[in-house]
Structures are given as structure tokens and as C-alpha cells.
Amino acid sequence: MAKDPARWVEFIDQAATFGARYSATNHMLLMFQAEERGIEPRYFLPYGNKQKTSGWLAVGRQVRAGEAAFKVWAPITRRPTEEEATEWEAAGRKVKRDSRGRPAVQVVGFRLMNTFELSQTDGEPFDVPTVQRIRRIKAAAATPALLTGDDPTGAYDDVVDLIEAAGYSFALVPPRTGYLRGANGVTVTGPGLRVVQVRDDVDAPQRLKTTVHELAHIRCGHTDSDGDLHRGRMETEAESVAHLVCRALGLDSRAYSDAYVFGWADGDLDLIKACAETVLRVSKQILTDLTPADTDAGTGEVDGFPAAA
């Protein structure tokens, strides 16, 4: 990915298939393992407990005998001792504490955990609970609309609500007016100023993608960066989040221009990983906010396993 922008687009597209359910680290682990096995991954869950209330067993499917588990990092949580907490703080590690100053239950490490892909299981029919499917079920939409200038997701108003909930005003304005200049959208901050503007003359799919792009700037912390982040990185993160979220919602947002993708990173793997972590984290937050409560998924679990590394 650090050398080839096309691989970044591939990474984002696969993350969209999973609905940004995993951290960047675990997403990469799953992709690597799936590629080694020649599997096109669709959905992962753990085997399930004896009570059949979790994992694949909860949805009436059984992992076939002899199937090798995929490995992901799962957090270990407990309340550290005061001695441990003091030692961590002395080393510069942040320690969560409760209202009385005691160390709170928190992530203290990670362990490898088994999970299995849908193709490794047999049993009851299983519809992957994608964000797109859940929204359509809740909206009682009979047939998805084709991309002929209309937005098939019904998410635009919800995205605007998220922008306004973050304390920004939102407006559709004619091109090259307001703060737009030559842009499709813009987020402006300053003393007493928190404004998002998007062109009013674009088709509904582009309007949605641009609005998500501006929300991504807010959620990625770009508006609070004080100029310490490279503009190329900020645009890569915001556009990647917009592409991932739109794909997960069922809108083919088209592969975006590679012109700025990773030009700022110069092949630096640490920067690429930091960018990937931000994109996956923010995309997951946005998709969670846009996903109605799903009572049909069957597992009662967000990721099928605890929050990932």
C-alpha cells in the first residue's frame, strides 16, 4: 500500500465490505490470511459458546470440522492494581481512573483469538448484516434504486444531522459562493465560526459523498490540527472515509483520483498505518451512527468478538 495507491483503494473497498467493523491492524491480518488461503472474505464470527448464544452457533451455522481459524487480536480488559497504574503513568502511559481516583477497568493487553469466515461454515441461510442491508430493511425499501442521479442510501439527512450535532452549521450553496471557491465542499473554522458548505448543483450521490467527506474532516480531527498535519494526508483520510462509508451504504462512489493519495507519505509505512487506523476508526464511528439498531443479526455482538487491537 505504501508503494501503490491502487492497493490502498483495494484496502478501503474491502473495509467497506466489512462495514469498517475491524481495526486497521485486524483488517490487515484478515486480508493477509484470506489472500494466502484464496478466500474472498465476506463475514467473520467466532465459533460460538456452548449455549449457542454467540458466534456462528447463534445464527444456526456450524464451523466445518478441520477448518483452520483466522487469527485476530482481541483486547484483554481488567482493573490494574495501583502499583501497575503508577508504573504505567510513570512510563507515560495513560491510565483510566474512576471518580474516586482508582484505576478503572481498561485494556491491559491483547491476545490472539479465533474467528471463522462464512465460507468455512454450513447450516441455516445467512444474510451478511451489512450497513446497506440494515438501513434498507428499516426503511422497508423493496428494491434498491439504481444510480441514475438519485441517492439510493437515504443517508444524506442523517449525515447532515451528524455534522450539526458536532456544532457546525450546514448549508447547500451555489458553486463558487460563500467559502467554496472552486471546491465541491468545505469546512471552515475560526473564532465563532464552524461552517460546512456543499455545492447545491451536484447530483444527489455526489452531494452525499461530499457531505460525508466534510464530516470526515471533522471526525478525523483535521479542523483542530492547527496546521500540523500535511494537507495531502488530511485529504487522503477524508476522501478514503467518504469512499468507504458510501460503498458500505450501497453507493458506488467510484475510485477517487490517485493524484494526492500517498504523495505526502513518500512510502513511510508508519504514516500509512497511522492513516489506515484513522480511516477505519472514523469510518466505523460514522457507520455505527448511521446504522439503525439491528435486531435480526442474531449474535448480539458488534464485531462477533470484543473490540479489536
Side-chain angles (χ1 to χ4, degrees):
M1 287 194 299
K3 294 181 179 179
D4 183 2
R7 295 307 298 267
W8 174 263
V9 176
E10 179 184 337
F11 172 78
I12 295 300
D13 283 345
Q14 185 61 62
T17 299
F18 293 156
R21 292 169 57 230
Y22 307 106
S23 68
T25 298
N26 276 343
H27 186 87
M28 291 179 189
L29 281 176
L30 291 172
M31 286 184 68
F32 295 157
Q33 293 170 84
E35 186 168 335
E36 287 178 347
R37 302 182 191 193
I39 293 176
E40 185 69 30
R42 291 171 291 168
Y43 200 73
F44 292 91
L45 285 176
Y47 186 93
N49 57 23
K50 293 182 180 179
Q51 295 76 28
K52 298 185 177 181
T53 59
S54 66
W56 286 116
L57 294 180
V59 295
R61 295 188 70 86
Q62 177 83 35
V63 177
R64 290 189 295 272
E67 291 286 351
F70 284 73
K71 300 292 185 179
V72 291
W73 288 108
I76 302 170
T77 58
R78 64 174 173 82
R79 187 188 302 275
T81 65
E82 181 59 46
E83 290 74 19
E84 287 177 316
T86 301
E87 182 179 335
W88 294 346
E89 288 172 333
R93 177 175 172 180
K94 185 176 181 180
V95 175
K96 294 181 180 179
R97 292 182 177 272
D98 61 23
S99 58
R100 289 192 270 177
R102 299 176 305 174
V105 175
Q106 56 203 279
V107 175
V108 297
F110 294 89
R111 61 186 175 88
L112 282 173
M113 185 174 179
N114 293 338
T115 190
F116 297 88
E117 208 279 323
L118 174 60
S119 63
Q120 298 177 289
T121 68
D122 296 313
E124 297 295 325
F126 179 78
D127 290 326
V128 175
T130 62
V131 178
Q132 176 185 353
R133 183 179 71 85
I134 294 170
R135 285 189 65 93
R136 286 176 178 167
I137 289 174
K138 298 302 179 182
T143 305
L146 297 177
L147 288 177
T148 56
D150 295 325
D151 172 14
T153 71
Y156 170 72
D157 288 339
D158 293 334
V159 175
V160 172
D161 287 344
L162 294 179
I163 289 174
E164 292 178 339
Y168 289 76
S169 65
F170 178 87
L172 294 174
V173 300
R176 297 189 177 278
T177 64
Y179 296 101
L180 281 180
R181 298 183 181 178
N184 290 329
V186 66
T187 299
V188 181
T189 60
L193 183 66
R194 293 165 74 87
V195 174
V196 174
Q197 294 181 342
V198 172
R199 287 178 58 174
D200 65 357
D201 65 336
V202 294
D203 288 344
Q206 182 61 55
R207 181 184 65 182
L208 172 65
K209 182 181 177 183
T210 300
T211 304
V212 176
H213 180 107
E214 299 310 319
L215 174 62
H217 276 308
I218 297 169
R219 292 286 185 93
C220 289
H222 299 160
T223 57
D224 302 319
S225 68
D226 295 325
D228 57 342
L229 290 180
H230 190 287
R231 177 173 174 77
R233 174 176 177 174
M234 292 192 291
E235 288 303 317
T236 296
E237 290 178 349
E239 186 69 4
S240 296
V241 169
H243 183 65
L244 193 162
V245 168
C246 287
R247 283 292 297 266
L249 290 172
L251 175 66
D252 184 1
S253 66
R254 309 289 183 230
Y256 42 83
S257 170
D258 292 338
Y260 58 75
V261 177
F262 292 155
W264 52 271
D266 195 27
D268 188 319
L269 293 177
D270 289 336
L271 283 178
I272 298 301
K273 187 171 186 295
C275 183
E277 289 170 345
T278 297
V279 169
L280 269 292
R281 173 179 55 80
V282 171
S283 297
K284 181 175 181 177
Q285 290 172 349
I286 293 174
L287 287 169
T288 297
D289 289 340
L290 294 176
T291 306
D294 181 20
T295 57
D296 302 318
T299 65
E301 302 172 21
V302 175
D303 292 351
F305 44 82

